[in-house]
C-alpha cells in the first residue's frame, strides 16, 4: 500500500535544505555566506573564542573552519593570533570591516527571518519549534542551534 504523502523525514530534510540554500543566497547577495555568518555570530557572542570553540559551535571540524577563517582573514574581517598562555590556541577578533560585515549580514538575517515567517503567528512558530524538537528527540538527539542567536542578532 502506497502512502498518500511522503514520509515526514525526507520532507523535513528537503525543506531544511531549501531554506538553508535560500538563506545562503541572501547572504551571498550581501557579500557573505552561511559559514561566514556563523563565524561572525559566534565571535559576536563570544568575542575571545578559540578556533576550537567556534568549530564546535558551528558543528564543523577545525580544518573546515580554518578554510573559512583563512578567507575571512585575507578579506580583513578578522585577525588571528596565538594565545600567549597556550600557543596551540588561536584567538580570533573581528576587525572594523568584520564588524561592518556582521551588521550588514545581521540585517539580511533579520529580513530573511521576517520573509520566512510571513503568514505565521508566534504561536505557530513556537508549535513548529516544539514539533521539530520532538522529531529530533524521537531519533535520539537534541536540536543544537549552534550559536546563541538572539543576543548578537537583535539590534541594540
Amino acid at each position: 500500500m502506497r502512502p498518500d504523502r511522503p514520509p515526514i523525514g525526507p520532507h523535513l530534510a528537503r525543506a531544511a535544505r531549501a531554506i538553508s540554500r535560500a538563506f545562503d543566497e541572501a547572504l551571498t547577495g550581501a557579500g557573505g555566506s552561511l559559514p561566514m555568518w556563523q563565524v561572525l555570530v559566534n565571535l559576536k557572542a563570544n568575542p575571545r573564542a578559540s578556533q576550537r570553540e567556534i568549530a564546535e559551535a558551528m558543528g564543523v571540524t577545525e580544518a573546515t573552519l580554518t578554510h573559512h577563517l583563512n578567507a575571512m582573514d585575507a578579506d580583513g574581517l578578522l585577525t588571528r593570533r596565538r594565545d600567549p598562555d597556550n600557543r596551540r590556541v588561536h584567538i580570533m577578533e573581528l576587525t572594523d570591516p568584520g564588524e561592518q560585515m556582521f551588521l550588514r549580514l545581521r540585517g539580511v538575517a533579520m529580513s530573511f527571518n521576517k520573509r520566512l515567517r510571513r503568514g505565521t503567528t508566534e504561536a505557530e512558530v513556537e508549535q513548529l519549534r516544539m514539533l521539530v524538537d520532538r522529531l529530533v528527540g524521537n531519533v535520539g538527539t537534541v536540536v543544537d542551534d549552534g550559536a546563541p542567536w538572539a543576543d548578537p542578532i537583535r539590534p541594540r
Side-chain angles (χ1 to χ4, degrees), residues 87-88 95 108 131:
R87 302 286 298 153
R88 294 175 294 166
T95 61
V108 170
L131 288 171

Side-chain angles (χ1 to χ4, degrees), residues 114-154:
K114 186 176 179 181
R115 175 179 151 208
L116 182 64
R117 294 173 63 140
R118 191 172 33 232
T120 63
T121 66
E122 276 300 318
E124 289 170 326
V125 170
E126 189 54 33
Q127 183 179 20
L128 175 61
R129 189 180 308 275
M130 290 183 336
L131 288 171
V132 169
D133 288 350
R134 186 180 314 154
L135 293 173
V136 171
N138 287 345
V139 296
T141 188
V142 295
V143 174
D144 180 5
D145 289 332
W149 295 106
D151 291 341
I153 294 175
R154 191 172 297 124

